[in-house]
Amino acid sequence: MENFNFYSPTEFVFGKGRAAEAGNFVKKYGGNKVLIHYGGGSAVKSGLIDIVKKSLENAGVEYCELGGVKPNPRDTLVYKGIELCRAEDVDFILAVGGGSVIDSSKAIAIGVPYNGDFWDMYCGKPVEKALPVATVLTIAAAGSEGSGDSVVTKEDGMLKRGTGSDLLRPKFSIMDPSLTQTLPAYQTACGATDIMAHVFERYFTNTEEVEITDRLCEAVLLTMLKETPRVIADPNNYEARANIMWAGTVAHTNICGVGRQQDWNSHGLEHELSGLYDVAHGAGLAVIMPAWMEYVHGHNVMRFCQMATRVFGCQMNYEDPEATALESIHRFRVFLKSIGMPINFSELGAKEEDIPVLVEKFGIGDGKTGGFVQLDKHDVAEIYKIAAHTVL
Ligand code: NZQ
Ligand code: ZN
């Protein structure tokens, strides 16, 4: 195991009806004037925004609001949010929604105190200052409620890029699983896929002797395999929703990833897909993650066999370990298909002829990237090709 620091300062406020406590928590963490930031309308329709407003009023906290965050959140709304916060003297951002709303909030939080273009921080400049952010989560997926990451898309050129800093970890995150019961099955499945992908990015490592984090990863994966079909079959299954919601946070606070090298190429490859085609991040991962696995499995067949036997219930074939590894990737795809996810380019709405554009946008030039397996642009194109042609 490698040396590590693990800093996860977020207060998680979990359970039914907890959104009504938002005002008290904002006060606890020093907010006087709040921006309530939300998406395209689901949180208004469900009555959640009204609950949050009432709670802020009861706590004597002032607020202004900005809705309209799109999935794959755009820089254009971030600029509006920064202007609004400066004009209204906002000192605290409350994201009410999913990963897109939270990431847009984090971008606004970076931009308000910064004397320049917030996009600098999405091009590699370190985050030095940010307003405090908190969340009321409405979808189990991105894990942004517990992470220090933010991913935003520049509308001009649809360039999707991320930044990260412990300063962006939410002060508190209110997590009421019943709020996710209004999610369409497709979004639920996209979220589940993203949660699993966050684990796989960490599970596939070259670091040895990391049993504790291996086992934590496997626990999250087994939970998702069990609970996802239950919520697809019955969207009102609170207990299954609750397990998935917490799994989403555990998957991405990095508690499963400490002390080990991580990969993250599948996320990079996917961000080009959701950037170019404006598709859901989880759907893009359903297409890319197994294709990446197929391409790299030879790097450490026995690690894939560990996943196969411990997570996907495969019998170990000692004479042909590669067969066991490949069987697990097949089972992963069968699972994804069973929950309604796309498994190839055409099901996703991507085009094979765009592969050169995707590779170019991936932007590694003649270099290499990745933790578990270093990929060059030829490898990247090959993975996109596998994703284009996958059939079950
Ligand atoms: O906009 P509204 O009307 O709210 O609708 C949303 C949106 O259309 C809807 N939705 C959310 N909660 C709902 C609901 N509909 C009904 N009932 C509810 N309770 O779901 C749709 C998707 O929402 P979105 O926020 O986009 O989903 P998700 O949480 O999957 O976030 C995806 C974004 O997070 C980024 C992704 O790249 C993508 O841009 N990621 C962020 C990460 C991070 N910050 O740590 C890590 C991830 O790997 C990921 O890259
Ligand atoms: Zn993700």
Tab-separated table of all heavy atoms in Angstrom, residues 4-5 32-33 43 48 77 92 96 136 199 210 218 231 234 238 245 256 261 290 302 336 338 347 365 372 381:
chain	number	residue	atom	x	y	z
A	4	PHE	N	-0.688	7.688	2.025
A	4	PHE	CA	-1.773	8.564	1.564
A	4	PHE	C	-2.260	9.484	2.664
A	4	PHE	O	-2.073	9.214	3.855
A	4	PHE	CB	-2.959	7.750	1.010
A	4	PHE	CG	-3.680	6.902	2.027
A	4	PHE	CD1	-4.702	7.440	2.812
A	4	PHE	CD2	-3.361	5.552	2.188
A	4	PHE	CE1	-5.378	6.655	3.738
A	4	PHE	CE2	-4.030	4.758	3.106
A	4	PHE	CZ	-5.046	5.307	3.891
A	5	ASN	N	-2.916	10.600	2.245
A	5	ASN	CA	-3.725	11.440	3.131
A	5	ASN	C	-5.161	11.232	2.683
A	5	ASN	O	-5.409	11.179	1.478
A	5	ASN	CB	-3.430	12.936	2.936
A	5	ASN	CG	-2.072	13.322	3.473
A	5	ASN	OD1	-1.244	12.453	3.768
A	5	ASN	ND2	-1.838	14.601	3.583
A	32	ASN	N	-24.514	33.259	5.001
A	32	ASN	CA	-25.471	34.342	5.296
A	32	ASN	C	-26.372	34.614	4.106
A	32	ASN	O	-27.551	34.873	4.257
A	32	ASN	CB	-24.720	35.635	5.640
A	32	ASN	CG	-23.929	35.476	6.918
A	32	ASN	OD1	-24.474	35.083	7.943
A	32	ASN	ND2	-22.628	35.731	6.854
A	33	LYS	N	-25.785	34.552	2.909
A	33	LYS	CA	-26.579	34.773	1.691
A	33	LYS	C	-26.248	33.636	0.727
A	33	LYS	O	-25.107	33.447	0.318
A	33	LYS	CB	-26.205	36.137	1.087
A	33	LYS	CG	-26.935	36.440	-0.203
A	33	LYS	CD	-28.300	37.077	0.029
A	33	LYS	CE	-29.104	37.270	-1.243
A	33	LYS	NZ	-29.056	38.644	-1.739
A	43	ALA	N	-36.419	19.396	-9.621
A	43	ALA	CA	-36.449	19.770	-8.189
A	43	ALA	C	-37.525	20.805	-7.884
A	43	ALA	O	-37.983	20.911	-6.752
A	43	ALA	CB	-35.071	20.283	-7.753
A	48	LEU	N	-39.199	20.172	-4.001
A	48	LEU	CA	-37.982	20.215	-3.179
A	48	LEU	C	-37.456	21.644	-3.018
A	48	LEU	O	-37.026	22.029	-1.923
A	48	LEU	CB	-36.917	19.294	-3.803
A	48	LEU	CG	-35.555	19.262	-3.125
A	48	LEU	CD1	-35.664	18.793	-1.683
A	48	LEU	CD2	-34.587	18.364	-3.905
A	77	LEU	N	-23.667	29.075	-18.196
A	77	LEU	CA	-24.482	29.316	-16.997
A	77	LEU	C	-23.587	29.618	-15.787
A	77	LEU	O	-23.970	30.375	-14.896
A	77	LEU	CB	-25.388	28.109	-16.713
A	77	LEU	CG	-26.470	28.375	-15.661
A	77	LEU	CD1	-27.510	29.368	-16.192
A	77	LEU	CD2	-27.176	27.092	-15.239
A	92	PHE	N	-22.313	31.647	-0.082
A	92	PHE	CA	-22.483	30.195	0.114
A	92	PHE	C	-23.323	29.661	-1.051
A	92	PHE	O	-24.346	30.246	-1.380
A	92	PHE	CB	-23.234	29.960	1.433
A	92	PHE	CG	-23.104	28.571	2.000
A	92	PHE	CD1	-22.218	28.304	3.037
A	92	PHE	CD2	-23.874	27.526	1.497
A	92	PHE	CE1	-22.102	27.033	3.567
A	92	PHE	CE2	-23.758	26.244	2.021
A	92	PHE	CZ	-22.865	25.992	3.069
A	96	VAL	N	-28.890	22.074	-5.485
A	96	VAL	CA	-30.030	21.176	-5.260
A	96	VAL	C	-30.233	20.394	-6.551
A	96	VAL	O	-30.818	20.894	-7.513
A	96	VAL	CB	-31.302	21.967	-4.888
A	96	VAL	CG1	-32.449	21.011	-4.590
A	96	VAL	CG2	-31.043	22.864	-3.679
A	136	VAL	N	-27.933	19.339	-1.830
A	136	VAL	CA	-29.089	18.480	-1.539
A	136	VAL	C	-29.178	17.573	-2.759
A	136	VAL	O	-29.532	18.015	-3.857
A	136	VAL	CB	-30.391	19.294	-1.368
A	136	VAL	CG1	-31.560	18.360	-1.083
A	136	VAL	CG2	-30.244	20.328	-0.258
A	199	VAL	N	-15.676	2.806	-9.121
A	199	VAL	CA	-14.975	1.734	-8.416
A	199	VAL	C	-13.944	1.075	-9.335
A	199	VAL	O	-12.787	0.870	-8.946
A	199	VAL	CB	-15.979	0.697	-7.878
A	199	VAL	CG1	-15.253	-0.508	-7.321
A	199	VAL	CG2	-16.873	1.331	-6.813
A	210	VAL	N	-3.339	-4.489	-1.422
A	210	VAL	CA	-4.331	-3.464	-1.071
A	210	VAL	C	-5.673	-4.160	-0.807
A	210	VAL	O	-6.707	-3.788	-1.355
A	210	VAL	CB	-4.449	-2.377	-2.177
A	210	VAL	CG1	-3.300	-1.398	-2.103
A	210	VAL	CG2	-4.517	-3.006	-3.563
A	218	GLU	N	-15.155	-4.171	-3.916
A	218	GLU	CA	-16.025	-5.311	-4.249
A	218	GLU	C	-17.377	-5.195	-3.546
A	218	GLU	O	-18.417	-5.551	-4.117
A	218	GLU	CB	-15.311	-6.623	-3.878
A	218	GLU	CG	-14.150	-6.933	-4.830
A	218	GLU	CD	-13.092	-7.854	-4.230
A	218	GLU	OE1	-13.314	-8.360	-3.100
A	218	GLU	OE2	-12.042	-8.030	-4.873
A	231	VAL	N	-34.369	-1.493	-7.992
A	231	VAL	CA	-34.980	-0.163	-8.178
A	231	VAL	C	-35.493	0.042	-9.599
A	231	VAL	O	-36.406	0.826	-9.814
A	231	VAL	CB	-34.057	1.015	-7.785
A	231	VAL	CG1	-33.806	1.051	-6.308
A	231	VAL	CG2	-32.777	1.010	-8.551
A	234	ASP	N	-38.765	-1.673	-9.228
A	234	ASP	CA	-39.676	-0.950	-8.341
A	234	ASP	C	-39.022	0.374	-7.921
A	234	ASP	O	-38.285	0.436	-6.938
A	234	ASP	CB	-39.973	-1.808	-7.094
A	234	ASP	CG	-40.809	-1.047	-6.078
A	234	ASP	OD1	-41.309	0.043	-6.417
A	234	ASP	OD2	-40.952	-1.550	-4.944
A	238	TYR	N	-37.515	2.092	-1.331
A	238	TYR	CA	-36.696	3.043	-0.561
A	238	TYR	C	-35.386	2.403	-0.091
A	238	TYR	O	-34.313	3.011	-0.188
A	238	TYR	CB	-37.472	3.582	0.654
A	238	TYR	CG	-36.626	4.482	1.524
A	238	TYR	CD1	-36.497	5.828	1.227
A	238	TYR	CD2	-35.928	3.970	2.617
A	238	TYR	CE1	-35.689	6.664	2.007
A	238	TYR	CE2	-35.126	4.798	3.400
A	238	TYR	CZ	-35.010	6.136	3.088
A	238	TYR	OH	-34.209	6.949	3.857
A	245	MET	N	-27.700	4.936	-2.922
A	245	MET	CA	-27.256	6.315	-2.682
A	245	MET	C	-25.956	6.345	-1.874
A	245	MET	O	-25.028	7.077	-2.201
A	245	MET	CB	-28.356	7.098	-1.969
A	245	MET	CG	-28.145	8.598	-2.046
A	245	MET	SD	-29.553	9.499	-1.396
A	245	MET	CE	-29.778	10.736	-2.656
A	256	CYS	N	-12.322	4.206	-1.277
A	256	CYS	CA	-11.995	2.952	-1.983
A	256	CYS	C	-10.695	3.068	-2.794
A	256	CYS	O	-10.266	2.085	-3.402
A	256	CYS	CB	-13.100	2.590	-2.978
A	256	CYS	SG	-14.670	2.195	-2.229
A	261	GLN	N	-2.527	3.147	-6.788
A	261	GLN	CA	-2.553	3.850	-8.061
A	261	GLN	C	-3.926	3.642	-8.702
A	261	GLN	O	-4.530	2.584	-8.538
A	261	GLN	CB	-1.468	3.217	-8.926
A	261	GLN	CG	-1.255	3.837	-10.265
A	261	GLN	CD	-0.344	2.948	-11.091
A	261	GLN	OE1	-0.434	1.712	-11.028
A	261	GLN	NE2	0.527	3.565	-11.853
A	290	PRO	N	-16.463	-1.377	-20.450
A	290	PRO	CA	-16.158	-2.763	-20.824
A	290	PRO	C	-15.206	-2.849	-22.020
A	290	PRO	O	-14.409	-3.787	-22.109
A	290	PRO	CB	-17.529	-3.359	-21.193
A	290	PRO	CG	-18.548	-2.414	-20.661
A	290	PRO	CD	-17.897	-1.066	-20.619
A	302	MET	N	-4.889	-11.858	-13.876
A	302	MET	CA	-5.315	-12.368	-12.567
A	302	MET	C	-6.136	-11.340	-11.781
A	302	MET	O	-6.975	-11.695	-10.967
A	302	MET	CB	-4.114	-12.844	-11.740
A	302	MET	CG	-3.453	-14.083	-12.299
A	302	MET	SD	-4.623	-15.373	-12.826
A	302	MET	CE	-5.190	-15.983	-11.245
A	336	LEU	N	-25.281	-4.596	-17.766
A	336	LEU	CA	-25.573	-3.230	-18.247
A	336	LEU	C	-26.767	-3.229	-19.187
A	336	LEU	O	-27.671	-2.397	-19.091
A	336	LEU	CB	-24.340	-2.643	-18.951
A	336	LEU	CG	-23.137	-2.348	-18.031
A	336	LEU	CD1	-21.893	-2.043	-18.847
A	336	LEU	CD2	-23.455	-1.191	-17.081
A	338	SER	N	-29.119	-5.402	-19.265
A	338	SER	CA	-30.337	-5.783	-18.528
A	338	SER	C	-30.952	-4.594	-17.781
A	338	SER	O	-32.142	-4.578	-17.505
A	338	SER	CB	-30.040	-6.915	-17.530
A	338	SER	OG	-29.354	-6.379	-16.403
A	347	GLU	N	-26.053	2.295	-30.219
A	347	GLU	CA	-27.073	2.389	-29.159
A	347	GLU	C	-26.926	3.693	-28.357
A	347	GLU	O	-27.887	4.230	-27.829
A	347	GLU	CB	-26.980	1.181	-28.212
A	347	GLU	CG	-27.461	-0.106	-28.859
A	347	GLU	CD	-27.271	-1.353	-27.979
A	347	GLU	OE1	-26.970	-1.214	-26.771
A	347	GLU	OE2	-27.413	-2.456	-28.525
A	365	GLY	N	-1.929	13.985	-27.697
A	365	GLY	CA	-0.877	14.164	-28.713
A	365	GLY	C	-0.071	12.897	-28.870
A	365	GLY	O	-0.632	11.807	-29.055
A	372	PHE	N	-3.336	2.349	-14.622
A	372	PHE	CA	-3.202	0.887	-14.681
A	372	PHE	C	-2.466	0.487	-15.961
A	372	PHE	O	-1.493	-0.267	-15.924
A	372	PHE	CB	-4.598	0.265	-14.648
A	372	PHE	CG	-4.669	-1.231	-14.704
A	372	PHE	CD1	-4.047	-2.020	-13.744
A	372	PHE	CD2	-5.397	-1.873	-15.711
A	372	PHE	CE1	-4.143	-3.419	-13.797
A	372	PHE	CE2	-5.501	-3.261	-15.759
A	372	PHE	CZ	-4.865	-4.032	-14.804
A	381	ALA	N	-7.803	4.995	-29.910
A	381	ALA	CA	-8.629	4.741	-31.106
A	381	ALA	C	-9.119	3.294	-31.107
A	381	ALA	O	-10.279	3.008	-31.461
A	381	ALA	CB	-7.816	5.027	-32.366
